[in-house]
Amino acid sequence: MAANFLHGVETIEVEKGARPIRTVKSAVIGLIGTAPTGAVNTPTIVLSDRQAAQFGGQLSGFSVPQALDAIFDQGAGTVVVINVLDPTKHKTAVPSELVALTGDIGKTEKPAWVAEAVIKNEAGTTTYVLDVDYTSNSLSGEIRRKAGGAIDANGKVKVSYEYADPSKVTAADVIGQVNNAGKRTGMQALLDTYNAMGFFAKILIAPGFCTLNSVASELIVLAGKLRGVTLLDAPIGTTYEQVISGRGPTGNINFNTSSGRAVLCYPHLKVYDTATDSERLEPYSQRLAGVMCAKDTEKGYWWSPSNTEIKGIVGVERELSAMINDPQSEVNLLNEVGITTLFNTFGTGIRTWGNRSAAWPSVTHPKNFINVRRTADILHESVEYSMLQFIDMPINNALIDSITESVNAFIRVMVGRGALLDGKCTYDRNKNPPTEIALGHLVFDIDFMPPTPAERMTFESFINIDLIKQLGQ
């Protein structure tokens, strides 16, 4: 009853019943790496190849531009980029480099200057003037003489410059920390994205750096905090035998883990490099991340990323035997120990191959399937975020009913989409004694089952002589 007196009529709005639950984003990649340009240690959303241009071109040694190209080759995805290359710290000075011009153009050995270069004549006695004697492109390291300037065509100049040097980025830079200003750096900056953007990255990659045990272990920890998975590559040049032994304690690579948050990727892929007109190797993880985002967008996060053709590649680092009906083929033996690999045989193209995380074979629960793990994460996080509207309401039967009805309505939506086979949310009185309710604590049960992938099919064949009886009928 209202505390104040009223001689009249009033209306009180009562909120009860189910509330809609919004599905959290799944097709979001967290990319940690190095770029010649772009924001440093700041989460930056990239939605297309045009937006990717802010991090510079595909220069040798810089992982972010190459990874963005690999991801968007697959067709879809949201990428949150953390560029850990700080040009004020990760740089190298070239005090004097002799550059020969071909006609009007010359180029320094190293691109990505962090400041304008000083250009002198070959003897070093005359300093040329920018925009009078020459123009330059600090990203590519190109020098172009100007007509009427003091530089001769086909001449030589001495160039002093500093360039962004990705080789000086350390594992500590990639892992990050909370600095003196209270700002998170490196991969830790991904923890700030929900407050800033309304979502977390669900697929974490650090191409090139994830081969380091220190970085791989921290990626696994971060994936757990963000309810995501991390894709880890074997080091370039790893042999088939080394990658298998790497799953055990005697191995010397970063694959000795049983985390359900880790997806182990082998081998590297070959792509065509337009800058050098040749093939180069790139990590499998960045293409697989793009495949997962595209599959999430086109089919749904409950689909396995396996058995999907990879776009934009011309070959693989190491050929592996692949037969769909041969348990002794190399790709099958890799899958058997929890490694995601590539299937490439006659007329198939190069396809992703593997359904399970590094939890397999240690964990036989269905959550070792990548799609089951990710579906559970989406369900849990979507439900948790939607409960904000119920927090601090008075505990009564109406509140309990509203919560269970809301979650069950969401589960029905997931069942209708195919993300779940079935599920329900219930309130068990035995798990909610008066002492806990008096403390403001409620417990609900959620039972659910995502579909597992059709990883293995068996046909039982019989030669039935009784079928001979049909002859002559």
Side-chain angles (χ1 to χ4, degrees):
M1 180 176 292
N4 57 319
F5 174 82
L6 171 65
H7 183 179
V9 179
E10 66 179 346
T11 300
I12 298 175
E13 294 185 359
V14 179
E15 294 184 0
K16 63 179 182 178
R19 312 288 173 83
I21 293 179
R22 182 174 64 91
T23 305
V24 297
K25 291 179 179 291
S26 64
V28 182
I29 298 171
L31 167 60
I32 307 100
T34 57
T37 61
V40 178
N41 285 314
T42 301
T44 306
I45 295 178
V46 178
L47 301 174
S48 67
D49 50 358
R50 286 189 176 183
Q51 293 183 3
Q54 65 187 291
F55 290 103
Q58 296 185 50
L59 303 177
S60 177
F62 295 94
S63 61
V64 167
Q66 292 182 0
L68 290 172
D69 176 71
I71 291 165
F72 291 121
D73 270 357
Q74 312 313 309
T78 298
V79 187
V80 180
V81 176
I82 308 292
N83 172 26
V84 297
L85 190 147
D86 185 348
T88 65
K89 179 172 66 172
H90 305 123
K91 62 182 180 179
T92 295
V94 179
S96 180
E97 179 183 325
L98 189 63
V99 176
L101 275 61
T102 302
D104 294 335
I105 301 173
K107 196 172 184 180
T108 56
E109 181 181 350
K110 298 294 183 179
W113 303 344
V114 299
E116 186 57 46
V118 176
I119 300 177
K120 299 182 178 182
N121 63 349
E122 186 175 358
T125 56
T126 301
T127 301
Y128 296 123
V129 180
L130 178 66
D131 293 329
V132 174
D133 299 315
Y134 69 94
T135 59
S136 66
N137 184 323
S138 60
L139 185 59
S140 66
E142 182 182 275
I143 302 164
R144 183 183 293 267
R145 68 175 288 274
K146 294 196 71 172
I151 302 175
D152 296 330
N154 297 308
K156 294 181 180 180
V157 294
K158 277 190 176 177
V159 186
S160 301
Y161 63 99
E162 293 179 321
Y163 66 92
D165 190 348
S167 69
K168 292 197 170 182
V169 174
T170 66
D173 295 320
V174 177
I175 294 168
Q177 60 179 339
V178 178
N179 62 22
N180 294 333
K183 179 183 177 182
R184 290 188 175 98
T185 64
M187 69 175 71
Q188 307 307 320
L190 290 173
L191 293 168
D192 294 327
T193 56
Y194 186 83
N195 286 345
M197 304 170 183
F199 55 84
F200 282 128
K202 295 301 181 184
I203 305 166
L204 308 184
I205 58 173
F209 297 101
C210 66
T211 60
L212 304 172
N213 280 316
S214 56
V215 174
S217 62
E218 290 298 327
L219 281 168
I220 292 171
V221 171
L222 183 60
K225 293 179 180 179
L226 301 182
R227 279 208 178 102
V229 295
T230 181
L231 313 185
L232 306 177
D233 295 290
I236 195 168
T238 303
T239 66
Y240 172 79
E241 292 75 19
Q242 288 172 332
V243 78
I244 293 289
S245 65
R247 293 292 278 134
T250 61
N252 56 4
I253 64 170
N254 55 321
F255 275 16
N256 186 13
T257 176
S258 63
S259 172
R261 301 289 177 183
V263 177
L264 309 179
C265 304
Y266 176 81
H268 279 56
L269 304 173
K270 291 180 180 179
V271 298
Y272 173 70
D273 191 330
T274 56
T276 61
D277 189 28
S278 62
E279 294 178 358
R280 60 172 168 79
L281 291 174
E282 71 170 32
Y284 178 16
S285 62
Q286 56 200 35
R287 298 265 164 185
L288 180 57
V291 166
M292 292 173 71
C293 278
K295 185 66 75 71
D296 283 8
T297 303
E298 296 168 9
K299 302 291 188 180
Y301 51 84
W302 55 93
W303 281 62
S304 170
S306 184
N307 197 14
T308 305
E309 191 166 0
I310 305 173
K311 300 174 183 177
I313 60 176
V314 297
V316 296
E317 174 191 17
R318 195 173 298 276
E319 295 294 338
L320 301 169
S321 62
M323 288 293 290
I324 197 169
N325 58 353
D326 181 7
Q328 297 304 311
S329 67
E330 290 174 325
V331 297
N332 189 71
L333 294 175
L334 288 168
N335 283 176
E336 188 176 355
V337 296
I339 298 172
T340 297
T341 187
L342 304 162
F343 189 94
N344 185 21
T345 188
F346 185 80
T348 64
I350 302 173
R351 312 179 78 84
T352 58
W353 200 251
N355 293 297
R356 301 173 187 263
S357 69
W360 177 264
S362 298
V363 176
T364 58
H365 189 279
K367 66 183 179 181
N368 72 70
F369 285 112
I370 298 168
N371 66 308
V372 172
R373 173 70 275 166
R374 298 185 71 223
T375 301
D377 290 340
I378 296 298
L379 171 61
H380 295 156
E381 194 164 289
S382 299
V383 168
E384 288 176 2
Y385 289 165
S386 70
M387 290 299 108
L388 177 62
Q389 57 195 320
F390 295 116
I391 292 293
D392 297 331
M393 283 187 175
I395 296 177
N396 52 34
N397 286 333
L399 176 65
I400 293 170
D401 290 343
S402 294
I403 292 172
T404 55
E405 289 172 12
S406 297
V407 177
N408 281 321
F410 182 60
I411 288 175
R412 287 193 294 272
V413 170
M414 294 184 74
V415 171
R417 291 173 176 170
L420 297 179
L421 300 176
D422 202 358
K424 63 181 178 178
C425 174
T426 56
Y427 175 82
D428 187 344
R429 293 180 61 186
N430 294 325
K431 294 183 179 180
N432 290 275
T435 51
E436 284 299 298
I437 296 176
L439 293 173
H441 182 203
L442 292 175
V443 176
F444 296 88
D445 290 337
I446 297 179
D447 294 327
F448 68 101
M449 185 63 215
T452 54
E455 185 179 65
R456 180 171 183 168
M457 299 181 188
T458 300
F459 293 92
E460 294 186 352
S461 175
F462 304 91
I463 297 177
N464 187 351
I465 63 174
D466 288 338
L467 299 178
I468 298 176
K469 296 177 181 179
Q470 299 181 34
L471 293 175
Q473 292 182 2

